[in-house]
Amino acid sequence: MDTLLEATAINTGYGQLQVLWDNEIIVGKSERVVLLGANGAGKTTLLKAIMGLIPLWSGSIVFDGDHLEKKRTDERFQSGVSYMSEMGVIAGLTVEENLLIGGYYLNKQAQKQQLEKMYEQFPDLKQKRKNAGGSLSGGQRKMLGVAKALMSQPKLLVMDEPSAGLSPLFVKEVIDFLIKSTEESNLSLLIAEQNVKFLEIADRVYVLDGGRITFSGTVLELVANDAVKRAYFGLEGS
Ligand code: ATP
């Protein structure tokens, strides 16, 4: 596997409060990785640390051969990492304005090309291009969030709980779309989730528990791991 992102020995937190202990996470080129963890496990904190939205206390983050630790968030975006937070979309801006923000660092021509590509992939968004982001349904808003994050033509899309606030039907729609977009390009995914439905698309899984990575492996290995099953899924091992 060719490594795209390698975050090692990540320690960070808020003020005096340490939230992450020695986290290590690797995402390969074209790989789909799910970071599974319950509420408060530290998933958002780890993603924010990778994006430079909170400072690292210690550790290293290498992306596509470059060290990111000292780079600003906008520089990390320009290196090819895109981020979709739980919010994802700016409600007061139109669909098109949201998309253009996603493509902020592209030149005008590339921006226009990407916009057309997104409208091709998401005909619903094209139809609603002049509507406010906040007027869309939950599923469409999530699609807009994904499309906005893809506008910058990232190599890696980092997503924080894409299932949040979505009905199971929309969750399936988002999953199907993510499978399609990763198969069509060399896009890698790092998805923080507590919804086990996302394991469907995972090449590899990390489990984060109380700020520590307690498991890393394939979905099959996860399912075979009794300790993880008991701790995370509340199931008894066989
Ligand atoms: P969720 O699914 O609820 O978003 P999570 O796994 O993403 O959970 P985090 O949001 O990373 O977890 O939170 C991890 C811990 O850090 C929690 O104990 C939380 O209370 C704490 N925390 C998060 N943000 C802050 C903050 N801005 N200041 C202080 N503590 C915080």
Side-chain angles (χ1 to χ4, degrees), residues 4-5 27 31-33 47 50-51 63 77 80-85 122 142-143 145-160 162 174 177-178 181-182 186-192:
L4 181 61
L5 174 80
V27 181
E31 202 185 22
R32 301 188 290 229
V33 172
L47 300 192
I50 290 170
M51 296 311 299
F63 178 74
F77 267 90
V81 194
S82 191
Y83 179 58
M84 183 180 142
S85 67
F122 304 93
K142 206 62 73 170
M143 290 298 171
V146 176
K148 181 178 165 216
L150 292 179
M151 276 292 289
S152 60
Q153 299 177 302
K155 296 174 193 149
L156 171 66
L157 174 55
V158 175
M159 308 175 91
D160 196 0
V174 171
F177 168 71
L178 287 173
S181 32
T182 48
N186 294 324
L187 181 70
S188 303
L189 296 178
L190 173 58
I191 306 176

Side-chain angles (χ1 to χ4, degrees), residues 13-15 17-20 35-48 54 86 160-161 192-194 208 211:
Y14 304 93
L17 175 74
Q18 181 157 6
V19 172
L20 301 181
L35 174 66
L36 202 59
N39 262 334
K43 303 181 298 297
T44 300
T45 305
L46 180 53
L47 300 192
K48 283 187 173 169
I54 57 165
E86 259 186 79
D160 196 0
E161 290 205 41
E193 261 300 342
Q194 43 183 320
L208 187 62

Side-chain angles (χ1 to χ4, degrees), residues 7-73:
T8 332
I10 302 294
N11 288 283
T12 191
Y14 304 93
Q16 302 283 335
L17 175 74
Q18 181 157 6
V19 172
L20 301 181
W21 280 266
D22 282 325
N23 288 182
E24 172 168 311
I25 197 156
I26 291 173
V27 181
K29 289 189 176 156
S30 305
E31 202 185 22
R32 301 188 290 229
V33 172
V34 170
L35 174 66
L36 202 59
N39 262 334
K43 303 181 298 297
T44 300
T45 305
L46 180 53
L47 300 192
K48 283 187 173 169
I50 290 170
M51 296 311 299
L53 292 164
I54 57 165
L56 283 186
W57 291 3
S58 61
S60 111
I61 302 170
V62 178
F63 178 74
D64 215 9
D66 280 339
H67 275 273
L68 293 189
E69 308 88 21
K70 295 206 166 58
K71 292 197 174 174
R72 294 189 313 261
T73 300

